């Protein structure tokens, strides 16, 4: 069986499916940054040292919505919730849950026939 | 009416995931009249089909039917269960709170086990619809 690109996952925010602008969902797993440095081990030898930067162990995700009255209202509610939101991405073979999610920007609500509202979220690392 | 879930499921609450353990369902108002009458029609149809068959009618009419008995009657009486479950979903979205205070949504219905849905349907009819018909 051939593989399939995940492009039409179901996006749930606080238990409700949200119709998003197609192909706009992006996320990071929340592993944070890691670096590999080189230590000198003497006699010309070196060894690598791995380090995790815990400062960045958070997920970010984003998607765009059409500026319908319903979406304008619901995004306002999500912003009032601060970090008390949960985003779930559900597809046939893959599921991710982002808990304690907060919208980190003041959403630019572009009103127009062919405009969208971009949402940027940050949350606990994806599970 | 309170319904204890046999199989709990996780739902989003306050930024985290929590176990749903019971549903608090309020009695139907005219807000859900379309869906309630659909279930009632199917119930009448099933009772009519069952009583016109070989099965003898219940002797004690005052005795309240249990949820399982109602579901058996619906199935035996050839009721359209699919339509009934759809109607139940719409009713729950409008009249049910998870764990007593959180909104029930379309997508949460999909997380409920079939066994719970079946039992809940029987209990709902027994508590709200059959009792009002018997009055």
């Amino acid at each position: 069986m051939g593989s399939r690109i995940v492009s039409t996952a179901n996006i749930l925010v606080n238990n409700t499916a949200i119709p998003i602008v197609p192909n706009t969902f992006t996320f990071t797993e929340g592993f944070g940054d890691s670096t590999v440095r080189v230590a000198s081990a003497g006699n010309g030898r070196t060894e690598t040292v791995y380090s995790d930067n815990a400062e960045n162990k958070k997920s970010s995700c984003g998607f765009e919505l059409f500026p319908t009255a319903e979406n304008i209202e619901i995004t306002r509610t999500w912003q009032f919730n601060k970090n008390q939101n949960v985003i779930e991405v559900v597809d046939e073979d893959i599921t991710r849950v982002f808990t304690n999610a907060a919208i980190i920007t003041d959403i630019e609500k572009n009103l127009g026939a062919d405009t969208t509202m971009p949402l940027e979220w940050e949350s606990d690392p994806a599970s | 009416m309170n319904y204890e879930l046999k199989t709990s499921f996780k739902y989003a609450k306050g930024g985290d995931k929590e176990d749903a353990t019971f549903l608090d369902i309020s009695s139907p108002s005219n807000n859900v009249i379309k869906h309630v009458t659909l279930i009632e029609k199917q119930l009448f149809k099933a009772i009519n089909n069952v009583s016109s068959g070989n099965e003898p009618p219940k002797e004690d009419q005052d005795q309240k039917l249990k949820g399982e008995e109602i579901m058996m009657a619906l199935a035996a009486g050839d009721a359209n269960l699919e339509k009934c479950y759809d109607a139940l979903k719409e009713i729950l979205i409008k009249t049910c709170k998870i764990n007593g205070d959180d909104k029930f949504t379309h997508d949460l219905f999909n997380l409920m086990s079939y066994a719970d849905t079946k039992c809940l349907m029987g209990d709902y009819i027994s508590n709200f619809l059959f009792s009002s018909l018997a009055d």
Side-chain angles (χ1 to χ4, degrees), chain A residues 60-97:
Chain A
S60 57
C61 61
F63 52 87
E64 292 180 22
L65 297 178
F66 290 114
T68 61
E70 192 181 31
N71 284 342
I72 289 169
E73 285 304 317
I74 202 164
T75 50
R76 190 176 161 85
T77 307
W78 295 339
Q79 287 198 288
F80 275 127
N81 288 349
K82 299 183 188 236
N83 67 338
Q84 308 236 303
N85 298 291
V86 176
I87 302 170
E88 291 165 83
V89 185
V90 184
D91 194 66
E92 279 173 41
D93 306 315
I94 177 176
T95 301
R96 290 288 184 279
V97 180

Side-chain angles (χ1 to χ4, degrees), chain A residues 10 12-17 83-86 88 97-101 124, chain B residues 10-17 98 102-108 110-111:
Chain A
N10 193 15
L12 296 148
V13 180
N14 301 336
N15 304 316
T16 303
N83 67 338
Q84 308 236 303
N85 298 291
V86 176
E88 291 165 83
V97 180
F98 305 90
T99 52
N100 295 315
D124 291 345
Chain B
K10 298 254 183 211
Y11 75 106
K13 180 185 168 71
D16 222 328
K17 297 286 270 182
I98 307 172
D102 298 307
K103 196 174 180 290
F104 191 88
T105 67
H106 181 279
D107 297 281
L108 292 178
N110 295 343
L111 298 178

Side-chain angles (χ1 to χ4, degrees), chain B residues 61-91:
Chain B
Q61 295 293 338
D62 292 337
Q63 194 181 349
K64 195 176 173 184
L65 282 176
K66 286 181 184 160
E68 304 92 73
E69 292 171 320
I70 290 171
M71 287 312 291
M72 280 172 67
L74 281 174
D78 201 25
N80 189 333
L81 286 174
E82 199 181 320
K83 274 188 181 174
C84 289
Y85 287 130
D86 279 344
L88 179 70
K89 176 165 70 176
E90 298 303 324
I91 291 168

Side-chain angles (χ1 to χ4, degrees), chain A residues 30-62:
Chain A
F31 290 125
D33 295 336
S34 51
T35 49
V36 179
R37 301 167 74 191
V38 179
S40 169
N43 296 327
R45 288 181 299 114
T46 57
E47 59 186 52
T48 55
V49 181
Y50 176 85
S51 73
D52 254 340
N53 186 353
E55 277 180 16
N56 299 317
K57 284 187 179 291
K58 60 182 177 182
S59 276
S60 57
C61 61

